[in-house]
Amino acid sequence: MNHAHGPKRRINRLSWLIGGAQGSGVDSAANVFARACAHGGLYVLGQREYYSNIMGEHSYYQVRVSDKPVKAIRHRADLLVSFDAETVFVHACDVSPNGGIVYDVKLETTPLDRVPTLDARFREDMRRFLEKQGVGLTLKDLLSVVAQGGVRLYPIPYDDLLQRLAEELQQPLSRVKRAVNTLAVAASTALLQYGVEWIEKALEEVFRGKARVVASNVRAAELAYDYVARTFEDDFPCRLEPVETQEARIFLTGTQAVALGKILAGCSVQTYYPISPATDESVFLESHPSIRLRNGEEGALLVLQTEDETAAIDLAIGAAIAGARAATSTSGPGFSLMVEGLGFAVINEVPVVITLYQRGSPSTGMPTRTEQGDLRFVLHAGHGEGPRIVLASGDLEEAFYDEVRAFNWAERYQVPVIHLLDKALASTSETRPLYDTHGVKVERGKLLFEEDLPGASEDGAIRRFRFTDDGISPRTLPGTEGGIFWLTSDEHDEWGHITEDPVVRTRMMEKRMQKLETAAREIPREEKLNVFGGPEAEAVILSWGSSKGAIVEAMELLEAEGFPLKFVQVRLLCPFPAEEIAQELEGAERIVAIENNFSGQLAALVREKTGIAADHLLVKYNGRPMTVEEVYEGIKRCLTEGEEAPRKVVLTHGR
Amino acid sequence: MAVDVQRYKTDVHNNWCPGCGDYGILNAIQMTLSQMELPPHRVALFSGIGCSAKTVHYVKTYGVHTLHGRVLPFATGAKLANPELTVIAVGGDGDGLGIGAGHFVHAGRRNVDLTYLIYDNGVYGLTKGQASPTLRLGVQTKSLPQPNVNQGVNPLLLALSAGYTFIARGYAFDIPHLIGVIRRAIEHKGSAFIDVLQPCPTYNDLLTKDWFGGLDRKDEQGRPVPRVYKLEEDGYDPYVRPGMGEDEIQEKQVRFLQKAMEWGDRIPIGVLWVNETVDTYEDRLEERIPSYRGARPALRPLADPKGRPLVDLTELFEELRVL
Ligand SMILES: Cc1ncc(C[n+]2csc(CCOP(=O)(O)OP(=O)(O)O)c2C)c(N)n1
Ligand code: SF4
Ligand SMILES: [Mg+2]
């Protein structure tokens, strides 16, 4: 290896993309690549895009690699890695001018209309694009166009390499064919001059326990490295180099971050009905039924698959009434069914946690695509008026700690807590240091055990809905002697018995609502919102949830260009921190709201609660997460064009 | 020796109609608990929504009056979180077999150790007498503008196909018999279902106390010939036990079908089915999670005295480690 020679190269900053038909190993290929980078001390952030389909439709995986933590995906890929024609057709135009495309040489002659899974709209656009360029309609024609723009082409004869692999391993070709994704990944890392040993280590990890599969894939990787070294000039403008670090790191997805938070909080019952993109969380939890405790004991974690989402939330509420820290996980269609149970938890003051991964809606919508469209829905879900707490995480760091918060607030304020995430966070994977659990506390609020009861117990029972100064009443668990209580979905008196008395009703309504005031008073400001950037900024970005990463990265780029910005990320949505937000927005010359939905739900909420209106709205509702480039461009447009910039800018990146 | 039944009563004003069968069922529940000497705080009573569902407010145990049709999911969640509770669920026929029919079926599949009573009055009492799912085709009760256009569902047959391991029928106005049935249901390990024939004098003018009691047909001495009769007095054996042969079980199933479908002149009450060959859901959980019953999810200690979580994430971090 000749590190010191050759043209000037960008080191350890890369946006990489692999695609292929669903079921053909795209995920494991991306996983191998990401892990290979992670083992070498690099930071990785991945995002998975896939259809609601099991086999055949196009899926892709973007991975960004850096020697600094990465916060969001980029639209442009420096290296596009493929082993089918569709991936090249779909993504070739998104490769950065100095980037490269790894592809199967035998597919060059594939005509556009021979890729049946392409969406009709895309096919038509591509046809027009190619016709406008004055070229034919094959893959090769498209490649020639992008090559003229500076993109490097790396055709790989996968069939020949697989044939060789089959001969060497003395196995039928059909057996080794699946290794084509490893050939593709290895060809890409060979171009990046990244040592093959990192790929081998990752293969061992991804295919753990399957020695034969590991062996054949390792050999495939070697063949690819060998081919690349023999065939192409060593001039790819990016390279990856391992970085020495003492830091312990994990590699995990958004659903795993949430699951870890639940486990740490002591969640012992999780219910679910299968639904994208929430299911992975429950599956991860179900594979950890016994949790190691610091006192040397084991704690049971029940994961219960129910007949539908009404049952899912009601089982969780039943378990919470019994005393378990109970949760359920779902996305829009499931939450719609849970609204009934939510109302029960509201009126009976049951601490239950609902983890909601938003996806493209309404109705079944786009099951595997992202959106931040449910904010208004969760704030008002249910008939009538009643308290709930809603918090939204912006990244995998927050997702973990927010889940613990959700359980603490649920018990402290005896309300259902809705933890908002989305598909983009669910399918983000990243390397990060181990979560620091030192400052984490378990808070169970006014929970009474037998020894606390004397005084509260009246003839064996308690007033479960006792009127108190802060609206929160002491609670017991069934099985507690002297702690008998009644709950009812009807309006009730202090004892939990049905009442329609107008005076009691008025007080009970006020008692429930008062809990939100208590929560608003007690929850610290820094848990209600994050503020990034300096006070000298004239423009303020207002946003929430998963758009955070792209915004923070875009801000860094803009600041470097002399546009200082402030970013207010709202994390607590109910009780709404109107005053705190108003303070942050006051005096702002320009307010730009950024949301992954159609109407700018948070911006409207801020206007409703503070009277302050955003000047511009950057919204995106094509089902894809925000990329750094489009947020950067969008903000810049608002800043430079000022009054001339449209009030609403629709972002459209994504395939 | 029984505990004083007063201990299981509340002083909440009961607002059922005079003559309602619900009174009989309520009494039977309270008397069963007292006869079984179950401490009130160890019992959790759940109900759906309907006249019948108000039961929980009249019984002094932990009481949860849930949502229309959802009583079983709530009860299941509580029981699985704390398997030491005695969990009893009650509700109407509309509640359990109309809006809650899906949950009824899936509860049978699980076989959680709980008891479920349906107050079967053929009508939606609390909403003023519309046809319930058990009302038969062509029948026109008092407040129906037209005869019933749907067929009635047979709760006993549905329970068998769903997998309930204890299936019985009771009659609201034969309290001593009902007490015996409820007691056996509570003692049964697994999901026990009792369909309780419950006259609703206000809206069901056909399935009345008089009709069940046979006041419309007298024998030669002029005494009414009741329609309801007790299976126990008929030598009926409901038990399916481990080690029984296929043939024997099949014979039991046939007998069950005959009894479950008998209606009109003779209506059997009593225990129709007890299957002792199926593990409870809790047993199945314990097989997966050995600590399940010992470390009841509801009562798991969560924090040390300083409030720090007891959970140790080291192993999980290890599983996800890349560096
Ligand atoms: C979701 C919902 N839909 C409708 C109702 C109105 N509702 C209250 S009770 C009831 C029917 C009760 O009939 P049943 O379950 O047979 O009980 P009964 O009153 O006969 O004991 C209905 C439909 C409700 N409470 N909730
Ligand atoms: S309406 Fe019928 S079921 Fe309801 S309380 Fe009156 S008699 Fe009983
Ligand atoms: Mg009824």
Side-chain angles (χ1 to χ4, degrees):
Chain A
M1 291 216 180
N2 46 351
H3 285 200
H5 311 294
K8 190 168 174 306
R9 289 167 176 181
R10 210 168 55 187
I11 296 172
N12 290 344
R13 262 187 303 131
L14 175 75
S15 171
W16 183 95
L17 190 154
I18 191 167
Q22 241 145 253
S24 68
V26 178
D27 283 0
S28 46
N31 208 352
V32 166
F33 175 73
R35 282 171 186 280
C37 297
H39 287 310
L42 296 163
Y43 283 98
V44 172
L45 179 133
Q47 180 58 261
R48 186 174 160 238
E49 282 297 336
Y50 55 104
Y51 269 80
S52 179
N53 153 268
I54 305 303
M55 289 236 263
E57 292 286 357
H58 177 64
S59 73
Y60 63 97
Y61 212 124
Q62 284 169 284
V63 181
R64 275 188 66 200
V65 187
S66 173
D67 42 19
K68 291 191 312 221
V70 189
K71 300 185 184 75
I73 50 159
R74 280 177 173 267
H75 181 55
R76 293 255 171 231
D78 300 313
L79 197 47
L80 169 62
V81 185
S82 70
F83 43 93
D84 69 343
E86 182 165 12
T87 300
V88 182
F89 273 122
V90 173
H91 300 281
C93 295
D94 296 336
V95 177
S96 39
N98 238 335
I101 302 179
V102 172
Y103 66 99
D104 187 346
V105 65
K106 79 160 183 292
L107 298 175
E108 282 183 346
T109 54
T110 309
L112 179 61
D113 59 10
R114 280 294 173 73
V115 186
T117 40
L118 279 175
D119 280 324
R121 192 280 309 161
F122 180 87
R123 192 196 310 276
E124 216 21 63
D125 283 2
M126 179 54 69
R127 181 192 310 282
R128 267 192 245 117
F129 171 76
L130 291 172
E131 279 167 5
K132 213 167 127 200
Q133 305 294 320
V135 298
L137 297 178
T138 66
L139 194 73
K140 195 174 177 134
D141 293 309
L142 173 61
L143 288 169
S144 69
V145 172
V146 295
Q148 270 174 13
V151 172
R152 293 151 207 259
L153 302 183
Y154 299 100
I156 310 284
Y158 291 125
D159 283 356
D160 298 350
L161 296 175
L162 288 171
Q163 186 66 44
R164 245 189 85 189
L165 184 63
E167 281 162 18
E168 280 187 22
L169 300 173
Q170 297 187 337
Q171 282 180 11
L173 187 60
S174 57
R175 251 266 183 61
V176 302
K177 262 197 159 141
R178 278 197 75 86
V180 66
N181 55 359
T182 298
L183 287 176
V185 169
S188 79
T189 46
L191 289 168
L192 294 163
Q193 299 276 318
Y194 196 55
V196 68
E197 65 277 12
W198 300 107
I199 291 290
E200 291 174 353
K201 186 164 178 212
L203 285 167
E204 274 163 28
E205 203 174 62
V206 171
F207 299 114
R208 191 177 295 155
K210 301 180 201 159
R212 274 247 299 274
V213 180
V214 173
S216 63
N217 279 281
V218 164
R219 188 59 201 136
E222 288 164 359
L223 288 175
Y225 268 74
D226 179 53
Y227 181 81
V228 167
R230 280 189 288 110
T231 315
F232 304 114
E233 296 248 349
D234 167 22
D235 63 352
F236 192 69
C238 305
R239 61 187 302 147
L240 295 181
E241 284 175 5
V243 171
E244 278 292 330
T245 172
Q246 297 306 312
E247 189 176 69
R249 283 184 206 156
I250 52 178
F251 180 61
L252 84 175
T253 63
T255 50
Q256 288 170 337
V258 170
L260 287 187
K262 277 191 179 163
I263 291 171
L264 182 66
C267 174
S268 60
V269 175
Q270 159 106 344
T271 63
Y272 80 106
Y273 183 78
I275 191 163
S276 296
T279 313
D280 289 349
E281 184 207 310
S282 295
V283 172
F284 181 82
L285 289 172
E286 192 167 359
S287 48
H288 298 88
S290 220
I291 304 299
R292 172 65 48 88
L293 304 181
R294 284 192 288 114
N295 61 8
E297 290 175 11
E298 297 283 323
L301 170 51
L302 299 190
V303 177
L304 306 166
Q305 183 185 330
T306 59
E307 56 269 33
D308 57 34
E309 284 92 347
T310 56
I313 186 157
D314 295 345
L315 254 102
I317 294 170
I321 291 169
R325 283 201 147 184
T328 186
S329 252
T330 190
S331 75
F335 185 75
S336 287
L337 292 188
M338 290 184 181
V339 169
E340 182 193 58
L342 180 76
F344 179 93
V346 166
I347 200 168
N348 281 295
E349 313 195 22
V350 182
V352 66
V353 172
I354 302 158
T355 310
L356 174 55
Y357 296 90
Q358 303 162 92
R359 70 185 211 189
S361 291
S363 195
T364 305
M366 295 203 284
T368 59
R369 309 296 178 175
T370 201
E371 197 159 272
Q372 296 174 276
D374 296 342
L375 174 56
R376 284 289 189 165
F377 178 34
V378 301
L379 290 177
H380 303 289
H383 42 289
E385 302 158 289
R388 81 272 328 260
I389 289 180
V390 179
L391 76 165
S393 302
D395 54 28
L396 273 55
E397 166 93 2
E398 291 171 8
F400 173 82
Y401 296 106
D402 281 351
E403 199 60 45
V404 182
R405 261 182 207 112
F407 280 98
N408 286 345
W409 290 346
E411 288 205 289
R412 269 174 61 176
Y413 305 111
Q414 300 180 5
V415 288
V417 175
I418 299 162
H419 182 190
L420 279 177
L421 300 121
D422 56 22
K423 182 265 158 191
L425 287 173
S427 59
T428 294
S429 48
E430 69 174 34
T431 47
R432 49 159 300 120
L434 275 53
Y435 289 102
D436 180 4
T437 61
H438 283 95
V440 176
K441 282 264 164 23
V442 170
E443 297 163 342
R444 305 207 65 184
K446 296 186 185 176
L447 180 57
L448 299 184
F449 293 97
E450 233 149 74
E451 55 275 19
D452 317 312
L453 265 180
S457 181
E458 300 170 54
D459 195 22
I462 63 154
R463 296 174 199 238
R464 171 66 189 87
F465 302 101
R466 178 189 286 280
F467 295 121
T468 59
D469 290 342
D470 55 7
I472 305 163
S473 323
R475 180 170 77 102
T476 55
L477 306 182
T480 308
E481 190 163 5
I484 286 177
F485 61 71
W486 291 268
L487 306 180
T488 172
S489 57
D490 285 86
E491 185 57 282
H492 38 255
D493 58 18
E494 285 185 284
W495 289 100
H497 290 310
I498 303 171
T499 187
E500 297 182 15
D501 179 87
V503 175
V504 178
R505 156 69 176 185
T506 303
R507 281 195 77 184
M508 200 51 81
M509 197 73 183
E510 289 163 358
K511 165 211 189 318
R512 281 192 294 270
M513 287 307 199
Q514 195 192 350
K515 295 190 296 178
L516 280 186
E517 288 166 31
T518 305
R521 201 172 51 241
E522 292 179 357
I523 295 173
R525 183 189 176 97
E526 61 273 19
E527 299 184 26
K528 295 174 174 170
L529 33 93
N530 285 338
V531 179
F532 301 85
E536 74 278 11
E538 287 164 4
V540 180
I541 310 292
L542 176 67
S543 188
W544 64 288
S546 68
S547 320
K548 175 185 179 185
I551 294 171
V552 171
E553 285 213 14
M555 269 176 77
E556 285 166 11
L557 297 176
L558 286 160
E559 260 160 37
E561 290 181 20
F563 297 100
L565 289 166
K566 176 155 105 178
F567 167 29
V568 180
Q569 179 207 349
V570 183
R571 298 174 59 189
L572 182 68
L573 282 312
C574 186
F576 196 70
E579 232 170 85
E580 292 87 342
I581 293 173
Q583 285 163 7
E584 294 296 340
L585 297 183
E586 238 149 56
E589 199 126 292
R590 196 153 290 280
I591 299 170
V592 183
I594 304 183
E595 299 183 51
N596 225 317
N597 56 40
F598 179 83
S599 58
Q601 297 187 15
L602 174 71
L605 194 61
V606 167
R607 184 170 189 173
E608 174 192 320
K609 304 272 188 190
T610 68
I612 303 174
D615 301 287
H616 305 280
L617 213 51
L618 301 190
V619 288
K620 184 170 185 177
Y621 40 88
N622 67 356
R624 310 302 192 268
M626 303 220 176
T627 65
V628 177
E629 295 100 318
E630 63 186 343
V631 172
Y632 160 85
E633 287 156 10
I635 299 175
K636 191 164 175 181
R637 198 170 158 197
C638 299
L639 297 182
T640 52
E641 294 177 20
E643 299 299 322
E644 302 296 302
R647 203 189 99 70
K648 181 167 170 173
V649 180
V650 180
L651 309 180
T652 57
H653 278 179
R655 299 294 174 189
Chain B
M1 258 297 288
V3 177
D4 181 2
V5 72
Q6 292 305 325
R7 276 191 60 195
Y8 299 90
K9 296 186 175 175
T10 65
D11 48 17
V12 175
H13 168 68
N14 188 318
N15 61 12
W16 286 326
C17 308
C20 177
D22 290 358
Y23 288 104
I25 307 176
L26 171 63
N27 283 336
I29 291 172
Q30 289 162 331
M31 289 164 79
T32 310
L33 297 179
S34 94
Q35 286 181 16
M36 291 179 75
E37 299 179 22
L38 287 169
H41 72 274
R42 314 254 4 120
V43 179
L45 191 57
F46 288 77
S47 67
I49 290 290
C51 298
S52 43
K54 294 181 180 173
T55 302
V56 302
H57 296 284
Y58 310 138
V59 181
K60 192 158 184 185
T61 62
Y62 284 93
V64 186
H65 182 194
T66 71
L67 293 166
H68 193 33
R70 314 292 176 218
V71 59
L72 285 173
F74 281 98
T76 301
K79 175 70 183 182
L80 293 179
N82 185 353
E84 285 193 1
L85 295 172
T86 297
V87 171
I88 303 170
V90 304
D93 46 350
D95 195 80
L97 300 168
I99 190 168
H103 306 308
F104 180 79
V105 170
H106 292 280
R109 292 176 55 215
R110 292 190 194 100
N111 198 33
V112 171
D113 185 17
L114 52 76
T115 300
Y116 180 38
L117 281 78
I118 282 187
Y119 298 21
D120 186 352
N121 57 9
V123 290
Y124 282 16
L126 195 57
T127 47
K128 298 191 181 293
Q130 301 79 9
S132 91
T134 61
L135 195 69
R136 285 160 186 250
L137 179 64
V139 167
Q140 187 170 15
T141 46
K142 209 148 107 183
S143 50
L144 297 191
Q146 301 274 352
N148 187 16
V149 69
N150 294 301
Q151 297 193 57
V153 67
N154 184 319
L156 305 173
L157 296 186
L158 186 59
L160 185 78
S161 50
Y164 284 84
T165 48
F166 179 105
I167 302 168
R169 186 190 272 144
Y171 178 46
F173 288 121
D174 189 340
I175 295 175
H177 178 264
L178 186 54
I179 291 171
V181 172
I182 298 175
R183 180 173 190 143
R184 283 169 72 183
I186 293 174
E187 281 165 355
H188 172 73
K189 293 268 160 275
S191 289
F193 169 60
I194 312 172
D195 179 39
V196 189
L197 302 173
Q198 176 245 318
C200 162
T202 305
Y203 292 114
N204 194 330
D205 50 339
L206 301 174
L207 303 179
T208 59
K209 186 176 177 188
D210 290 356
W211 185 80
F212 284 117
L215 287 190
D216 56 325
R217 48 180 205 177
K218 307 259 167 84
D219 63 13
E220 277 131 36
Q221 280 80 39
R223 285 174 311 203
V225 183
R227 288 185 165 79
V228 171
Y229 75 96
K230 300 186 179 74
L231 283 169
E232 293 79 359
E233 292 169 3
D234 222 35
Y236 180 90
D237 173 10
Y239 285 92
V240 174
R241 297 204 161 89
M244 260 185 194
E246 281 287 313
D247 289 353
E248 208 177 339
I249 294 175
Q250 231 167 50
E251 216 172 281
K252 296 246 165 194
Q253 285 167 337
V254 171
R255 289 251 293 155
F256 172 89
L257 286 184
Q258 283 168 345
K259 289 297 177 193
M261 295 177 74
E262 201 174 359
W263 190 259
D265 284 347
R266 277 169 62 78
I267 301 173
I269 59 171
V271 180
L272 284 101
W273 186 256
V274 186
N275 185 345
E276 296 183 340
T277 68
V278 182
D279 280 348
T280 63
Y281 195 81
E282 296 89 313
D283 292 333
R284 292 174 221 157
L285 284 178
E286 196 165 27
E287 229 164 83
R288 290 173 167 208
I289 317 174
S291 67
Y292 169 55
R293 277 200 174 90
R296 280 169 286 167
L299 304 178
R300 231 178 85 180
L302 297 182
D304 65 16
K306 288 189 172 149
R308 291 174 310 201
L310 264 193
V311 167
D312 181 357
L313 285 181
T314 314
E315 279 176 20
L316 279 146
F317 285 153
E318 217 40 57
E319 194 182 313
L320 299 166
R321 272 292 277 279
V322 282
L323 267 187

